[in-house]
């Protein structure tokens, strides 16, 4: 099966499909419905999860998701029996999304800014935010009472990932000893430098 060109260029050729992360998440948490704002052409989640909603404002990204080649690739490589359901919104994720319910099990935030804050309302109570701290999304989640750190993940060899739920008090400790304000993080668009930094964080939404 032919790999879609853009997906191959930006993810397969760079060894950054992150399929091991999504497999590990699904095995541990049995996720059904996924929201991926700032996805660009990272179609990997649809190989693991049967229903994924994507969103990105990058020009003409919708063409990738509408290409029959993309659907054929997902259908040939998905790891579940159900029909693949995926839909793409060509828009900024800070805008409201028409037709979306507030019932997602998982929000994916990877190198796209403050996703966890912008789309928090679409994540159900008990749902998960999976994010890294490259632009400060994990830092903002750590200061947000709606979220609670439930695990961290680490990237291993061969695109495999481990999820760790113990000793969480060892994480989210600023190296400087000072916790910046939410406004400072947003202004600088940079995450807090922590004493211990995993590949990423998993927060559970505990309240609206």
């Amino acid at each position: 099966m032919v790999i879609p060109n853009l997906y191959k260029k930006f993810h397969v050729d760079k060894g950054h499909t992150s399929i091991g992360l999504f497999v590990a998440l699904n095995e541990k948490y049995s996720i059904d419905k996924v929201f991926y704002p700032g996805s660009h052409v990272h179609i990997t989640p649809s190989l693991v999860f049967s229903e994924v909603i994507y969103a990105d404002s990058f020009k003409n990204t919708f063409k990738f998701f509408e290409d029959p080649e993309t659907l054929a690739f997902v259908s040939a490589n998905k790891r579940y029996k159900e029909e693949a359901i995926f839909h793409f919104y060509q828009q900024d994720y800070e805008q409201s999304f028409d037709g979306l319910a507030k019932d997602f099990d998982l929000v994916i935030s990877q190198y796209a800014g403050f996703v966890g804050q912008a789309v928090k309302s679409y994540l159900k109570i008990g749902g998960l935010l999976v994010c890294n701290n490259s632009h400060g999304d994990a830092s903002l989640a750590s200061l947000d009472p709606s979220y609670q750190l439930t695990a961290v993940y680490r990237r291993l060899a061969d695109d495999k990932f481990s999820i760790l739920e113990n000793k969480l008090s060892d994480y989210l400790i600023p190296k400087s000893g000072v916790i910046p304000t939410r406004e400072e993080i947003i202004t600088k668009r940079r995450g807090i430098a922590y004493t211990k930094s995993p590949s990423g964080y998993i927060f559970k939404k505990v309240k609206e």
Side-chain angles (χ1 to χ4, degrees), residues 75-90:
S75 297
N77 293 278
K78 61 186 176 67
R79 302 188 178 199
Y80 47 87
K81 295 180 180 179
E82 300 88 351
E83 180 182 356
I85 300 172
F86 61 88
H87 179 75
F88 177 74
Y89 284 81
Q90 182 79 57

Side-chain angles (χ1 to χ4, degrees), residues 35 47 77 119 195:
F35 192 16
L47 304 182
N77 293 278
V119 304
T195 57

